[in-house]
Amino acid sequence: MKHARSVDLAPDAAPIPAGATDAVVEIYADGACKGNPGPGGWGVWMKWGVHERELFGGEPATTNNRMELTAVIEALAALKRRSRVVLHTDSQYVQRGITEWLPNWVRRGWKTAGNGAVKNADLWRRLAELNGQHEVDWRWVRGHAGVPGNERADALARRGAASVAR
């Protein structure tokens, strides 16, 4: 069972009005797991102009890679219209997966180069769908390196994991 929570940091503001032609939505997304597999969480910090939004959630039994993917999926799903996005992730699995590996997986019928099944294919399919709805610039950022947006997303992911850990 997935638990999710959204915190709007500007409660008097409308949801992030993504899709403005001259605006870019900055997104930082991260996943965390207490044990792998184990209780996991995902966190997202979004900024559009003066508007900010935090999202987080968790699952009681999952993997870190699934939480990393869930974070970017939840971020893109939260956008209400087609948007220009700069999406920061500290997961090379996510960044390289979406920018390098995905086209080959699709071409090979969701098989890896070694002819094995793509792990987390359910999430990759959903991410591919959402990625196609937006203009996304995928950027890798080193985790735990003091990048404020990444640190914030990491704290939210840990909060999500803690919310489902028993």
Side-chain angles (χ1 to χ4, degrees), residues 81-163:
R81 319 175 203 39
R82 182 168 179 79
S83 303
R84 290 177 42 220
V85 176
V86 176
L87 203 152
H88 306 267
T89 177
D90 63 8
S91 170
Q92 288 189 4
Y93 172 69
V94 170
Q95 195 271 336
R96 292 187 69 203
I98 195 71
T99 62
E100 297 174 31
W101 307 329
L102 183 70
N104 294 324
W105 292 337
V106 171
R107 189 175 67 252
R108 289 190 294 258
W110 291 95
K111 298 286 184 185
T112 65
N115 205 33
V118 172
K119 291 182 181 176
N120 303 311
D122 58 328
L123 296 177
W124 283 113
R125 283 184 172 103
R126 178 69 176 135
L127 180 54
E129 174 189 343
L130 290 166
N131 187 55
Q133 295 173 10
H134 305 285
E135 181 184 328
V136 183
D137 178 5
W138 292 89
R139 297 189 185 172
W140 179 78
V141 61
R142 184 172 302 281
H144 310 288
V147 177
N150 183 253
E151 296 295 334
R152 202 157 162 183
D154 178 67
L156 290 163
R158 286 184 281 114
R159 186 173 171 187
S163 75

Side-chain angles (χ1 to χ4, degrees), residues 4-15:
R5 182 159 181 216
S6 173
V7 179
D8 198 343
L9 299 179
D12 56 333

